[in-house]
Amino acid sequence: MSEKKELETVDDLKMVQRYLKYGLEFHELAACHLVEANLKFEATIKQVDTEQLTLELEITAESYSKIKSEIGSASSKPQSEIRLNYSVDSSTIFLSGILQNLSAGRLSVQVKTPLQKLQRRESLRMKIQESHDATISLGGTSFPIYDISAGGVSILVGLLAEKDFEKQKLFPASILSFLGKDIKVDLEVKSCLVHGRSGQKLKVGLAFKALPQNIEQMIVREVYQQTQKIWSRWI
């Protein structure tokens, strides 16, 4: 199966701080885009303040001259938006912020949350929106779908339900309701893990078995379109 990518919103403060620190520790070049001036350049993250959520970026003399020529000093354009991305292992971190200070060789950015993390996966996945009206019926019980891909779905259940979702358990002839269609599918439990910081829910991952090609294509198309809507704000 070809490798695809998944865009994930990162809004937990501790995770935001962690990914900002990774940008410093991994010494990766950040690709930057000064939105108002439509100016693109590269920079190195030299300092991170995880409490204030600010970054200090090192830029070339050429980049400094171009930025200064376009917007002058940061104080004269306090709302100049800047977007940047950098790699962390198999992921790319996307963030936006406000240009605060500009000096020869340096600029500082006030980071806005949430961040976005683009991670390579075998199957593109998205969280379900209300408009999808998506549920899965397992053994006669209907569950709201948490996320979906061409490979399967996940649901959230209470801790006491763990015994009902043992790994490799099969749910034949289940009913997937998605985009106004009711589709008979066979599912297999692939994972059952504690979800979220509260630890009060389990996330159950269920894989489709022999999904009809037309249904797979419908899911892929919808997941791709929804992901592109989010991704387009960051590139």
Side-chain angles (χ1 to χ4, degrees), residues 10-21 49-53 111 113-115 197:
V10 180
D11 52 13
D12 178 80
L13 179 59
K14 289 186 177 179
M15 294 304 298
V16 169
Q17 292 171 329
R18 180 180 299 177
Y19 285 124
L20 292 181
K21 288 173 66 177
D49 186 329
T50 55
E51 295 299 321
Q52 300 298 320
L53 298 185
V111 175
T113 57
L115 311 183
R197 298 177 65 186

Side-chain angles (χ1 to χ4, degrees), residues 1-6 89-91 118-124:
M1 184 178 295
S2 62
E3 185 182 74
K4 296 186 182 295
K5 297 183 178 182
E6 174 188 345
D89 288 338
S90 62
S91 301
L118 189 67
Q119 186 169 9
R120 293 194 291 270
R121 297 181 63 95
E122 289 187 346
S123 187
L124 194 65

